[in-house]
Amino acid sequence: MIAVNPTDSASLLAAFGALAVLVVIFAESGLLVVGFFLPGDTLLFPAGVLCAASADRPPRLELWQVLVCAAVGAVAGGQVGYLIGRHGGRPLLARTSNQRVKSGAARAERLLVRYGYGKALVIGRFVPLLRSVLHPAAGALGVPVRPFTLWQAVGGVLWSQTFVLAGFALGSSVSHIDRYLLPLVGVIVVLSLLPALAEARRARRDR
């Protein structure tokens, strides 16, 4: 029996392949508290790497399957998150004692007010932690269904396909890149946190 760590991208991909991408991205995009503990960027990029063939091995995952699963998970998860927020999101946020959730919800509200629905929903997809609370927060704040659906779908597809294809491109051009997945994941984590740090810095400056 295979032991699977749901927070470890390598473990998930080894056990479930493209299906792991679908389930994890769905949960991270809309299931609020659960999404905070799951890999997003750090699952998509390695999945793309594993789709690339090299001189000494065939691809371990099918690129088209990973792309479809990533897009479906991102868009469906965002829509479910919105529905959760719209039908009881405010009481849920009020009851939670998780400071990361409360902080994320406040940041999501500021982002929606500052940039408008379209820009906020696209930018928010690329920001870890914020991504998990943005869609429920949009539902709780009463963002209209049609613009939400349009822009969260655009953001979800753009984000998911960008990371998978970036991993695939790197895996196709660098030999034995899978040996360096752990350091690469660390770099992705650091880079993905830069927008959040910039947003926090702007917020402090505006006070």
Side-chain angles (χ1 to χ4, degrees), residues 6 12 19-40 43 69-70 72-78 80-81 84 125 129 131-133 135-136 159:
L12 287 166
L19 183 60
V21 175
L22 173 62
V23 173
V24 170
I25 297 305
F26 173 87
E28 201 222 14
S29 297
L31 298 188
L32 204 55
V33 177
V34 175
F36 277 103
F37 302 100
L38 296 173
L43 180 70
C69 286
V72 170
V75 174
V80 168
I84 290 172
R125 281 284 188 174
L129 305 182
R131 182 166 54 240
S132 297
V133 76
H135 308 119
W159 164 67

PDB file of all heavy atoms in Angstrom, residues 6 12 19-40 43 69-70 72-78 80-81 84 125 129 131-133 135-136 159:
ATOM      1  N   PRO A   6      -0.641  14.266   1.313  1.00  0.00           N
ATOM      2  CA  PRO A   6      -1.428  15.177   0.484  1.00  0.00           C
ATOM      3  C   PRO A   6      -0.816  16.564   0.326  1.00  0.00           C
ATOM      4  O   PRO A   6      -1.268  17.344  -0.510  1.00  0.00           O
ATOM      5  CB  PRO A   6      -2.775  15.257   1.232  1.00  0.00           C
ATOM      6  CG  PRO A   6      -2.458  14.891   2.633  1.00  0.00           C
ATOM      7  CD  PRO A   6      -1.345  13.883   2.548  1.00  0.00           C
ATOM      8  N   LEU A  12       1.933  12.842  -4.385  1.00  0.00           N
ATOM      9  CA  LEU A  12       0.622  12.847  -5.031  1.00  0.00           C
ATOM     10  C   LEU A  12       0.714  12.436  -6.498  1.00  0.00           C
ATOM     11  O   LEU A  12      -0.076  11.629  -6.985  1.00  0.00           O
ATOM     12  CB  LEU A  12       0.001  14.241  -4.917  1.00  0.00           C
ATOM     13  CG  LEU A  12      -0.513  14.640  -3.540  1.00  0.00           C
ATOM     14  CD1 LEU A  12      -0.772  16.139  -3.484  1.00  0.00           C
ATOM     15  CD2 LEU A  12      -1.783  13.884  -3.188  1.00  0.00           C
ATOM     16  N   LEU A  19      -4.890  12.723 -12.127  1.00  0.00           N
ATOM     17  CA  LEU A  19      -6.055  12.817 -11.241  1.00  0.00           C
ATOM     18  C   LEU A  19      -5.723  13.635  -9.992  1.00  0.00           C
ATOM     19  O   LEU A  19      -6.572  14.377  -9.483  1.00  0.00           O
ATOM     20  CB  LEU A  19      -6.525  11.417 -10.848  1.00  0.00           C
ATOM     21  CG  LEU A  19      -7.781  11.349  -9.964  1.00  0.00           C
ATOM     22  CD1 LEU A  19      -8.972  11.978 -10.669  1.00  0.00           C
ATOM     23  CD2 LEU A  19      -8.092   9.902  -9.590  1.00  0.00           C
ATOM     24  N   ALA A  20      -4.492  13.530  -9.500  1.00  0.00           N
ATOM     25  CA  ALA A  20      -4.071  14.325  -8.346  1.00  0.00           C
ATOM     26  C   ALA A  20      -4.133  15.810  -8.669  1.00  0.00           C
ATOM     27  O   ALA A  20      -4.521  16.630  -7.829  1.00  0.00           O
ATOM     28  CB  ALA A  20      -2.650  13.941  -7.927  1.00  0.00           C
ATOM     29  N   VAL A  21      -3.772  16.163  -9.896  1.00  0.00           N
ATOM     30  CA  VAL A  21      -3.831  17.561 -10.321  1.00  0.00           C
ATOM     31  C   VAL A  21      -5.270  18.064 -10.272  1.00  0.00           C
ATOM     32  O   VAL A  21      -5.551  19.154  -9.750  1.00  0.00           O
ATOM     33  CB  VAL A  21      -3.246  17.719 -11.738  1.00  0.00           C
ATOM     34  CG1 VAL A  21      -3.413  19.151 -12.239  1.00  0.00           C
ATOM     35  CG2 VAL A  21      -1.763  17.327 -11.755  1.00  0.00           C
ATOM     36  N   LEU A  22      -6.187  17.277 -10.800  1.00  0.00           N
ATOM     37  CA  LEU A  22      -7.600  17.670 -10.811  1.00  0.00           C
ATOM     38  C   LEU A  22      -8.127  17.886  -9.396  1.00  0.00           C
ATOM     39  O   LEU A  22      -8.704  18.938  -9.082  1.00  0.00           O
ATOM     40  CB  LEU A  22      -8.419  16.595 -11.520  1.00  0.00           C
ATOM     41  CG  LEU A  22      -9.947  16.747 -11.491  1.00  0.00           C
ATOM     42  CD1 LEU A  22     -10.368  18.020 -12.197  1.00  0.00           C
ATOM     43  CD2 LEU A  22     -10.625  15.541 -12.120  1.00  0.00           C
ATOM     44  N   VAL A  23      -7.918  16.920  -8.522  1.00  0.00           N
ATOM     45  CA  VAL A  23      -8.501  16.967  -7.172  1.00  0.00           C
ATOM     46  C   VAL A  23      -7.855  18.065  -6.331  1.00  0.00           C
ATOM     47  O   VAL A  23      -8.555  18.841  -5.660  1.00  0.00           O
ATOM     48  CB  VAL A  23      -8.361  15.596  -6.479  1.00  0.00           C
ATOM     49  CG1 VAL A  23      -8.812  15.676  -5.027  1.00  0.00           C
ATOM     50  CG2 VAL A  23      -9.165  14.537  -7.224  1.00  0.00           C
ATOM     51  N   VAL A  24      -6.538  18.137  -6.353  1.00  0.00           N
ATOM     52  CA  VAL A  24      -5.841  19.116  -5.504  1.00  0.00           C
ATOM     53  C   VAL A  24      -6.112  20.540  -5.969  1.00  0.00           C
ATOM     54  O   VAL A  24      -6.381  21.432  -5.146  1.00  0.00           O
ATOM     55  CB  VAL A  24      -4.327  18.830  -5.479  1.00  0.00           C
ATOM     56  CG1 VAL A  24      -3.572  19.975  -4.797  1.00  0.00           C
ATOM     57  CG2 VAL A  24      -4.055  17.526  -4.750  1.00  0.00           C
ATOM     58  N   ILE A  25      -6.057  20.797  -7.267  1.00  0.00           N
ATOM     59  CA  ILE A  25      -6.306  22.149  -7.768  1.00  0.00           C
ATOM     60  C   ILE A  25      -7.754  22.559  -7.510  1.00  0.00           C
ATOM     61  O   ILE A  25      -8.035  23.712  -7.181  1.00  0.00           O
ATOM     62  CB  ILE A  25      -5.950  22.252  -9.261  1.00  0.00           C
ATOM     63  CG1 ILE A  25      -4.456  21.988  -9.470  1.00  0.00           C
ATOM     64  CG2 ILE A  25      -6.320  23.620  -9.809  1.00  0.00           C
ATOM     65  CD1 ILE A  25      -3.535  22.874  -8.647  1.00  0.00           C
ATOM     66  N   PHE A  26      -8.676  21.616  -7.634  1.00  0.00           N
ATOM     67  CA  PHE A  26     -10.080  21.892  -7.290  1.00  0.00           C
ATOM     68  C   PHE A  26     -10.193  22.329  -5.832  1.00  0.00           C
ATOM     69  O   PHE A  26     -10.811  23.351  -5.520  1.00  0.00           O
ATOM     70  CB  PHE A  26     -10.928  20.651  -7.538  1.00  0.00           C
ATOM     71  CG  PHE A  26     -12.353  20.785  -7.054  1.00  0.00           C
ATOM     72  CD1 PHE A  26     -13.325  21.341  -7.867  1.00  0.00           C
ATOM     73  CD2 PHE A  26     -12.720  20.364  -5.783  1.00  0.00           C
ATOM     74  CE1 PHE A  26     -14.633  21.470  -7.428  1.00  0.00           C
ATOM     75  CE2 PHE A  26     -14.021  20.492  -5.330  1.00  0.00           C
ATOM     76  CZ  PHE A  26     -14.986  21.047  -6.153  1.00  0.00           C
ATOM     77  N   ALA A  27      -9.600  21.557  -4.930  1.00  0.00           N
ATOM     78  CA  ALA A  27      -9.695  21.853  -3.500  1.00  0.00           C
ATOM     79  C   ALA A  27      -8.992  23.154  -3.155  1.00  0.00           C
ATOM     80  O   ALA A  27      -9.502  23.973  -2.385  1.00  0.00           O
ATOM     81  CB  ALA A  27      -9.111  20.702  -2.686  1.00  0.00           C
ATOM     82  N   GLU A  28      -7.808  23.375  -3.740  1.00  0.00           N
ATOM     83  CA  GLU A  28      -7.049  24.582  -3.409  1.00  0.00           C
ATOM     84  C   GLU A  28      -7.747  25.837  -3.918  1.00  0.00           C
ATOM     85  O   GLU A  28      -7.621  26.904  -3.337  1.00  0.00           O
ATOM     86  CB  GLU A  28      -5.645  24.492  -4.011  1.00  0.00           C
ATOM     87  CG  GLU A  28      -4.654  25.419  -3.329  1.00  0.00           C
ATOM     88  CD  GLU A  28      -3.738  26.133  -4.292  1.00  0.00           C
ATOM     89  OE1 GLU A  28      -4.008  26.146  -5.497  1.00  0.00           O
ATOM     90  OE2 GLU A  28      -2.750  26.698  -3.823  1.00  0.00           O
ATOM     91  N   SER A  29      -8.518  25.698  -4.999  1.00  0.00           N
ATOM     92  CA  SER A  29      -9.166  26.859  -5.612  1.00  0.00           C
ATOM     93  C   SER A  29     -10.491  27.233  -4.969  1.00  0.00           C
ATOM     94  O   SER A  29     -11.006  28.317  -5.256  1.00  0.00           O
ATOM     95  CB  SER A  29      -9.410  26.594  -7.108  1.00  0.00           C
ATOM     96  OG  SER A  29      -8.194  26.415  -7.792  1.00  0.00           O
ATOM     97  N   GLY A  30     -11.046  26.357  -4.112  1.00  0.00           N
ATOM     98  CA  GLY A  30     -12.373  26.706  -3.618  1.00  0.00           C
ATOM     99  C   GLY A  30     -12.792  26.205  -2.268  1.00  0.00           C
ATOM    100  O   GLY A  30     -13.842  26.611  -1.769  1.00  0.00           O
ATOM    101  N   LEU A  31     -12.012  25.332  -1.648  1.00  0.00           N
ATOM    102  CA  LEU A  31     -12.482  24.733  -0.392  1.00  0.00           C
ATOM    103  C   LEU A  31     -11.939  25.426   0.854  1.00  0.00           C
ATOM    104  O   LEU A  31     -11.776  24.808   1.899  1.00  0.00           O
ATOM    105  CB  LEU A  31     -12.161  23.238  -0.368  1.00  0.00           C
ATOM    106  CG  LEU A  31     -12.843  22.415  -1.459  1.00  0.00           C
ATOM    107  CD1 LEU A  31     -12.619  20.931  -1.234  1.00  0.00           C
ATOM    108  CD2 LEU A  31     -14.345  22.706  -1.535  1.00  0.00           C
ATOM    109  N   LEU A  32     -11.630  26.685   0.722  1.00  0.00           N
ATOM    110  CA  LEU A  32     -11.300  27.586   1.821  1.00  0.00           C
ATOM    111  C   LEU A  32     -10.220  27.023   2.735  1.00  0.00           C
ATOM    112  O   LEU A  32      -9.070  26.958   2.333  1.00  0.00           O
ATOM    113  CB  LEU A  32     -12.576  27.937   2.608  1.00  0.00           C
ATOM    114  CG  LEU A  32     -12.556  29.250   3.410  1.00  0.00           C
ATOM    115  CD1 LEU A  32     -12.210  30.424   2.511  1.00  0.00           C
ATOM    116  CD2 LEU A  32     -13.864  29.498   4.110  1.00  0.00           C
ATOM    117  N   VAL A  33     -10.554  26.583   3.933  1.00  0.00           N
ATOM    118  CA  VAL A  33      -9.548  26.177   4.920  1.00  0.00           C
ATOM    119  C   VAL A  33      -8.698  25.026   4.392  1.00  0.00           C
ATOM    120  O   VAL A  33      -7.476  25.019   4.545  1.00  0.00           O
ATOM    121  CB  VAL A  33     -10.221  25.780   6.254  1.00  0.00           C
ATOM    122  CG1 VAL A  33      -9.169  25.297   7.237  1.00  0.00           C
ATOM    123  CG2 VAL A  33     -10.986  26.969   6.827  1.00  0.00           C
ATOM    124  N   VAL A  34      -9.325  24.048   3.737  1.00  0.00           N
ATOM    125  CA  VAL A  34      -8.592  22.893   3.227  1.00  0.00           C
ATOM    126  C   VAL A  34      -7.541  23.328   2.217  1.00  0.00           C
ATOM    127  O   VAL A  34      -6.420  22.819   2.189  1.00  0.00           O
ATOM    128  CB  VAL A  34      -9.568  21.887   2.573  1.00  0.00           C
ATOM    129  CG1 VAL A  34      -8.802  20.728   1.930  1.00  0.00           C
ATOM    130  CG2 VAL A  34     -10.554  21.370   3.600  1.00  0.00           C
ATOM    131  N   GLY A  35      -7.899  24.293   1.373  1.00  0.00           N
ATOM    132  CA  GLY A  35      -7.008  24.725   0.310  1.00  0.00           C
ATOM    133  C   GLY A  35      -5.701  25.317   0.771  1.00  0.00           C
ATOM    134  O   GLY A  35      -4.701  25.288   0.041  1.00  0.00           O
ATOM    135  N   PHE A  36      -5.671  25.851   1.985  1.00  0.00           N
ATOM    136  CA  PHE A  36      -4.451  26.468   2.502  1.00  0.00           C
ATOM    137  C   PHE A  36      -3.310  25.464   2.658  1.00  0.00           C
ATOM    138  O   PHE A  36      -2.152  25.831   2.640  1.00  0.00           O
ATOM    139  CB  PHE A  36      -4.720  27.131   3.860  1.00  0.00           C
ATOM    140  CG  PHE A  36      -5.301  28.509   3.753  1.00  0.00           C
ATOM    141  CD1 PHE A  36      -6.652  28.712   3.972  1.00  0.00           C
ATOM    142  CD2 PHE A  36      -4.517  29.592   3.418  1.00  0.00           C
ATOM    143  CE1 PHE A  36      -7.204  29.981   3.876  1.00  0.00           C
ATOM    144  CE2 PHE A  36      -5.048  30.867   3.312  1.00  0.00           C
ATOM    145  CZ  PHE A  36      -6.397  31.063   3.538  1.00  0.00           C
ATOM    146  N   PHE A  37      -3.641  24.205   2.831  1.00  0.00           N
ATOM    147  CA  PHE A  37      -2.629  23.199   3.154  1.00  0.00           C
ATOM    148  C   PHE A  37      -2.231  22.347   1.952  1.00  0.00           C
ATOM    149  O   PHE A  37      -1.459  21.401   2.101  1.00  0.00           O
ATOM    150  CB  PHE A  37      -3.150  22.303   4.281  1.00  0.00           C
ATOM    151  CG  PHE A  37      -3.512  23.075   5.518  1.00  0.00           C
ATOM    152  CD1 PHE A  37      -4.837  23.397   5.784  1.00  0.00           C
ATOM    153  CD2 PHE A  37      -2.527  23.503   6.390  1.00  0.00           C
ATOM    154  CE1 PHE A  37      -5.185  24.126   6.921  1.00  0.00           C
ATOM    155  CE2 PHE A  37      -2.868  24.230   7.531  1.00  0.00           C
ATOM    156  CZ  PHE A  37      -4.188  24.542   7.785  1.00  0.00           C
ATOM    157  N   LEU A  38      -2.756  22.672   0.769  1.00  0.00           N
ATOM    158  CA  LEU A  38      -2.476  21.857  -0.405  1.00  0.00           C
ATOM    159  C   LEU A  38      -1.550  22.584  -1.373  1.00  0.00           C
ATOM    160  O   LEU A  38      -1.580  23.814  -1.470  1.00  0.00           O
ATOM    161  CB  LEU A  38      -3.794  21.513  -1.113  1.00  0.00           C
ATOM    162  CG  LEU A  38      -4.759  20.645  -0.312  1.00  0.00           C
ATOM    163  CD1 LEU A  38      -6.080  20.529  -1.056  1.00  0.00           C
ATOM    164  CD2 LEU A  38      -4.171  19.270  -0.055  1.00  0.00           C
ATOM    165  N   PRO A  39      -0.728  21.822  -2.118  1.00  0.00           N
ATOM    166  CA  PRO A  39       0.155  22.451  -3.103  1.00  0.00           C
ATOM    167  C   PRO A  39      -0.621  22.893  -4.328  1.00  0.00           C
ATOM    168  O   PRO A  39      -1.526  22.195  -4.784  1.00  0.00           O
ATOM    169  CB  PRO A  39       1.141  21.332  -3.454  1.00  0.00           C
ATOM    170  CG  PRO A  39       0.380  20.077  -3.220  1.00  0.00           C
ATOM    171  CD  PRO A  39      -0.544  20.357  -2.057  1.00  0.00           C
ATOM    172  N   GLY A  40      -0.296  24.062  -4.877  1.00  0.00           N
ATOM    173  CA  GLY A  40      -0.922  24.537  -6.100  1.00  0.00           C
ATOM    174  C   GLY A  40       0.127  24.699  -7.178  1.00  0.00           C
ATOM    175  O   GLY A  40       0.320  23.826  -8.023  1.00  0.00           O
ATOM    176  N   LEU A  43       2.522  21.924  -7.417  1.00  0.00           N
ATOM    177  CA  LEU A  43       2.049  20.673  -8.010  1.00  0.00           C
ATOM    178  C   LEU A  43       2.017  20.789  -9.529  1.00  0.00           C
ATOM    179  O   LEU A  43       2.422  19.873 -10.244  1.00  0.00           O
ATOM    180  CB  LEU A  43       0.657  20.326  -7.488  1.00  0.00           C
ATOM    181  CG  LEU A  43       0.047  19.033  -8.046  1.00  0.00           C
ATOM    182  CD1 LEU A  43       0.779  17.816  -7.494  1.00  0.00           C
ATOM    183  CD2 LEU A  43      -1.437  18.951  -7.719  1.00  0.00           C
ATOM    184  N   CYS A  69      -6.940  18.377 -16.770  1.00  0.00           N
ATOM    185  CA  CYS A  69      -7.249  18.226 -15.342  1.00  0.00           C
ATOM    186  C   CYS A  69      -6.964  19.512 -14.570  1.00  0.00           C
ATOM    187  O   CYS A  69      -7.737  19.900 -13.677  1.00  0.00           O
ATOM    188  CB  CYS A  69      -6.441  17.080 -14.744  1.00  0.00           C
ATOM    189  SG  CYS A  69      -7.045  15.438 -15.220  1.00  0.00           S
ATOM    190  N   ALA A  70      -5.884  20.191 -14.921  1.00  0.00           N
ATOM    191  CA  ALA A  70      -5.546  21.444 -14.243  1.00  0.00           C
ATOM    192  C   ALA A  70      -6.596  22.517 -14.514  1.00  0.00           C
ATOM    193  O   ALA A  70      -7.039  23.220 -13.598  1.00  0.00           O
ATOM    194  CB  ALA A  70      -4.165  21.923 -14.699  1.00  0.00           C
ATOM    195  N   VAL A  72      -9.790  22.114 -15.571  1.00  0.00           N
ATOM    196  CA  VAL A  72     -11.094  21.738 -14.993  1.00  0.00           C
ATOM    197  C   VAL A  72     -11.084  21.928 -13.477  1.00  0.00           C
ATOM    198  O   VAL A  72     -12.036  22.481 -12.893  1.00  0.00           O
ATOM    199  CB  VAL A  72     -11.450  20.282 -15.356  1.00  0.00           C
ATOM    200  CG1 VAL A  72     -12.672  19.820 -14.567  1.00  0.00           C
ATOM    201  CG2 VAL A  72     -11.710  20.152 -16.849  1.00  0.00           C
ATOM    202  N   GLY A  73     -10.016  21.494 -12.829  1.00  0.00           N
ATOM    203  CA  GLY A  73      -9.915  21.657 -11.383  1.00  0.00           C
ATOM    204  C   GLY A  73      -9.935  23.108 -10.957  1.00  0.00           C
ATOM    205  O   GLY A  73     -10.617  23.490  -9.996  1.00  0.00           O
ATOM    206  N   ALA A  74      -9.196  23.957 -11.690  1.00  0.00           N
ATOM    207  CA  ALA A  74      -9.125  25.378 -11.342  1.00  0.00           C
ATOM    208  C   ALA A  74     -10.469  26.078 -11.519  1.00  0.00           C
ATOM    209  O   ALA A  74     -10.929  26.814 -10.636  1.00  0.00           O
ATOM    210  CB  ALA A  74      -8.047  26.062 -12.191  1.00  0.00           C
ATOM    211  N   VAL A  75     -11.115  25.848 -12.661  1.00  0.00           N
ATOM    212  CA  VAL A  75     -12.377  26.543 -12.948  1.00  0.00           C
ATOM    213  C   VAL A  75     -13.517  26.011 -12.069  1.00  0.00           C
ATOM    214  O   VAL A  75     -14.279  26.784 -11.477  1.00  0.00           O
ATOM    215  CB  VAL A  75     -12.729  26.414 -14.446  1.00  0.00           C
ATOM    216  CG1 VAL A  75     -14.107  27.013 -14.723  1.00  0.00           C
ATOM    217  CG2 VAL A  75     -11.669  27.112 -15.297  1.00  0.00           C
ATOM    218  N   ALA A  76     -13.622  24.686 -11.963  1.00  0.00           N
ATOM    219  CA  ALA A  76     -14.693  24.109 -11.138  1.00  0.00           C
ATOM    220  C   ALA A  76     -14.499  24.454  -9.669  1.00  0.00           C
ATOM    221  O   ALA A  76     -15.461  24.780  -8.956  1.00  0.00           O
ATOM    222  CB  ALA A  76     -14.736  22.591 -11.323  1.00  0.00           C
ATOM    223  N   GLY A  77     -13.248  24.402  -9.199  1.00  0.00           N
ATOM    224  CA  GLY A  77     -12.977  24.749  -7.805  1.00  0.00           C
ATOM    225  C   GLY A  77     -13.312  26.192  -7.494  1.00  0.00           C
ATOM    226  O   GLY A  77     -13.895  26.498  -6.444  1.00  0.00           O
ATOM    227  N   GLY A  78     -12.955  27.103  -8.408  1.00  0.00           N
ATOM    228  CA  GLY A  78     -13.288  28.508  -8.202  1.00  0.00           C
ATOM    229  C   GLY A  78     -14.788  28.742  -8.122  1.00  0.00           C
ATOM    230  O   GLY A  78     -15.270  29.517  -7.290  1.00  0.00           O
ATOM    231  N   VAL A  80     -17.154  26.510  -7.262  1.00  0.00           N
ATOM    232  CA  VAL A  80     -17.674  25.932  -6.012  1.00  0.00           C
ATOM    233  C   VAL A  80     -17.332  26.834  -4.831  1.00  0.00           C
ATOM    234  O   VAL A  80     -18.154  27.052  -3.929  1.00  0.00           O
ATOM    235  CB  VAL A  80     -17.119  24.504  -5.805  1.00  0.00           C
ATOM    236  CG1 VAL A  80     -17.417  24.004  -4.387  1.00  0.00           C
ATOM    237  CG2 VAL A  80     -17.714  23.554  -6.827  1.00  0.00           C
ATOM    238  N   GLY A  81     -16.109  27.369  -4.817  1.00  0.00           N
ATOM    239  CA  GLY A  81     -15.730  28.299  -3.754  1.00  0.00           C
ATOM    240  C   GLY A  81     -16.647  29.514  -3.702  1.00  0.00           C
ATOM    241  O   GLY A  81     -17.054  29.966  -2.621  1.00  0.00           O
ATOM    242  N   ILE A  84     -19.950  28.486  -2.171  1.00  0.00           N
ATOM    243  CA  ILE A  84     -19.800  28.345  -0.715  1.00  0.00           C
ATOM    244  C   ILE A  84     -19.864  29.710  -0.044  1.00  0.00           C
ATOM    245  O   ILE A  84     -20.555  29.906   0.964  1.00  0.00           O
ATOM    246  CB  ILE A  84     -18.480  27.641  -0.371  1.00  0.00           C
ATOM    247  CG1 ILE A  84     -18.544  26.168  -0.789  1.00  0.00           C
ATOM    248  CG2 ILE A  84     -18.175  27.758   1.130  1.00  0.00           C
ATOM    249  CD1 ILE A  84     -17.223  25.445  -0.661  1.00  0.00           C
ATOM    250  N   ARG A 125      -5.264  34.568  -8.697  1.00  0.00           N
ATOM    251  CA  ARG A 125      -4.927  33.172  -8.995  1.00  0.00           C
ATOM    252  C   ARG A 125      -3.438  32.892  -8.821  1.00  0.00           C
ATOM    253  O   ARG A 125      -3.038  31.772  -8.537  1.00  0.00           O
ATOM    254  CB  ARG A 125      -5.309  32.835 -10.423  1.00  0.00           C
ATOM    255  CG  ARG A 125      -6.770  32.546 -10.623  1.00  0.00           C
ATOM    256  CD  ARG A 125      -7.135  31.172 -10.117  1.00  0.00           C
ATOM    257  NE  ARG A 125      -8.501  30.840 -10.488  1.00  0.00           N
ATOM    258  CZ  ARG A 125      -9.061  29.670 -10.282  1.00  0.00           C
ATOM    259  NH1 ARG A 125      -8.376  28.711  -9.709  1.00  0.00           N
ATOM    260  NH2 ARG A 125     -10.305  29.444 -10.632  1.00  0.00           N
ATOM    261  N   LEU A 129      -2.196  31.185  -1.003  1.00  0.00           N
ATOM    262  CA  LEU A 129      -3.016  31.498   0.171  1.00  0.00           C
ATOM    263  C   LEU A 129      -4.202  32.381  -0.218  1.00  0.00           C
ATOM    264  O   LEU A 129      -5.345  32.046   0.082  1.00  0.00           O
ATOM    265  CB  LEU A 129      -2.193  32.159   1.288  1.00  0.00           C
ATOM    266  CG  LEU A 129      -0.959  31.381   1.757  1.00  0.00           C
ATOM    267  CD1 LEU A 129      -0.274  32.130   2.896  1.00  0.00           C
ATOM    268  CD2 LEU A 129      -1.327  29.978   2.203  1.00  0.00           C
ATOM    269  N   ARG A 131      -5.307  32.750  -3.146  1.00  0.00           N
ATOM    270  CA  ARG A 131      -6.039  31.975  -4.147  1.00  0.00           C
ATOM    271  C   ARG A 131      -7.133  31.112  -3.503  1.00  0.00           C
ATOM    272  O   ARG A 131      -8.209  30.936  -4.067  1.00  0.00           O
ATOM    273  CB  ARG A 131      -5.039  31.094  -4.893  1.00  0.00           C
ATOM    274  CG  ARG A 131      -5.608  30.258  -5.995  1.00  0.00           C
ATOM    275  CD  ARG A 131      -4.502  29.704  -6.885  1.00  0.00           C
ATOM    276  NE  ARG A 131      -3.473  28.989  -6.168  1.00  0.00           N
ATOM    277  CZ  ARG A 131      -2.179  29.322  -6.153  1.00  0.00           C
ATOM    278  NH1 ARG A 131      -1.736  30.391  -6.793  1.00  0.00           N
ATOM    279  NH2 ARG A 131      -1.298  28.607  -5.479  1.00  0.00           N
ATOM    280  N   SER A 132      -6.881  30.580  -2.301  1.00  0.00           N
ATOM    281  CA  SER A 132      -7.825  29.675  -1.654  1.00  0.00           C
ATOM    282  C   SER A 132      -9.017  30.384  -1.025  1.00  0.00           C
ATOM    283  O   SER A 132     -10.053  29.762  -0.795  1.00  0.00           O
ATOM    284  CB  SER A 132      -7.101  28.848  -0.573  1.00  0.00           C
ATOM    285  OG  SER A 132      -6.114  28.037  -1.150  1.00  0.00           O
ATOM    286  N   VAL A 133      -8.879  31.668  -0.755  1.00  0.00           N
ATOM    287  CA  VAL A 133      -9.959  32.393  -0.085  1.00  0.00           C
ATOM    288  C   VAL A 133     -10.630  33.424  -0.989  1.00  0.00           C
ATOM    289  O   VAL A 133     -11.716  33.907  -0.689  1.00  0.00           O
ATOM    290  CB  VAL A 133      -9.411  33.081   1.199  1.00  0.00           C
ATOM    291  CG1 VAL A 133      -8.598  34.315   0.864  1.00  0.00           C
ATOM    292  CG2 VAL A 133     -10.532  33.418   2.164  1.00  0.00           C
ATOM    293  N   HIS A 135     -12.135  33.227  -3.964  1.00  0.00           N
ATOM    294  CA  HIS A 135     -13.431  32.882  -4.575  1.00  0.00           C
ATOM    295  C   HIS A 135     -14.556  32.814  -3.550  1.00  0.00           C
ATOM    296  O   HIS A 135     -15.644  33.374  -3.793  1.00  0.00           O
ATOM    297  CB  HIS A 135     -13.293  31.583  -5.365  1.00  0.00           C
ATOM    298  CG  HIS A 135     -12.157  31.625  -6.344  1.00  0.00           C
ATOM    299  ND1 HIS A 135     -11.087  30.759  -6.292  1.00  0.00           N
ATOM    300  CD2 HIS A 135     -11.898  32.482  -7.362  1.00  0.00           C
ATOM    301  CE1 HIS A 135     -10.244  31.055  -7.260  1.00  0.00           C
ATOM    302  NE2 HIS A 135     -10.698  32.103  -7.923  1.00  0.00           N
ATOM    303  N   PRO A 136     -14.368  32.159  -2.384  1.00  0.00           N
ATOM    304  CA  PRO A 136     -15.405  32.259  -1.350  1.00  0.00           C
ATOM    305  C   PRO A 136     -15.658  33.697  -0.907  1.00  0.00           C
ATOM    306  O   PRO A 136     -16.807  34.081  -0.651  1.00  0.00           O
ATOM    307  CB  PRO A 136     -14.837  31.409  -0.205  1.00  0.00           C
ATOM    308  CG  PRO A 136     -13.916  30.446  -0.867  1.00  0.00           C
ATOM    309  CD  PRO A 136     -13.304  31.209  -1.998  1.00  0.00           C
ATOM    310  N   TRP A 159      -3.576  30.666 -15.229  1.00  0.00           N
ATOM    311  CA  TRP A 159      -2.653  30.242 -14.164  1.00  0.00           C
ATOM    312  C   TRP A 159      -2.262  28.781 -14.311  1.00  0.00           C
ATOM    313  O   TRP A 159      -1.076  28.444 -14.316  1.00  0.00           O
ATOM    314  CB  TRP A 159      -3.323  30.472 -12.805  1.00  0.00           C
ATOM    315  CG  TRP A 159      -2.677  29.765 -11.665  1.00  0.00           C
ATOM    316  CD1 TRP A 159      -1.430  29.999 -11.147  1.00  0.00           C
ATOM    317  CD2 TRP A 159      -3.231  28.688 -10.886  1.00  0.00           C
ATOM    318  NE1 TRP A 159      -1.175  29.139 -10.094  1.00  0.00           N
ATOM    319  CE2 TRP A 159      -2.258  28.334  -9.910  1.00  0.00           C
ATOM    320  CE3 TRP A 159      -4.444  28.010 -10.902  1.00  0.00           C
ATOM    321  CZ2 TRP A 159      -2.477  27.319  -8.984  1.00  0.00           C
ATOM    322  CZ3 TRP A 159      -4.659  27.008  -9.971  1.00  0.00           C
ATOM    323  CH2 TRP A 159      -3.680  26.672  -9.035  1.00  0.00           C
TER     324      TRP A 159
END
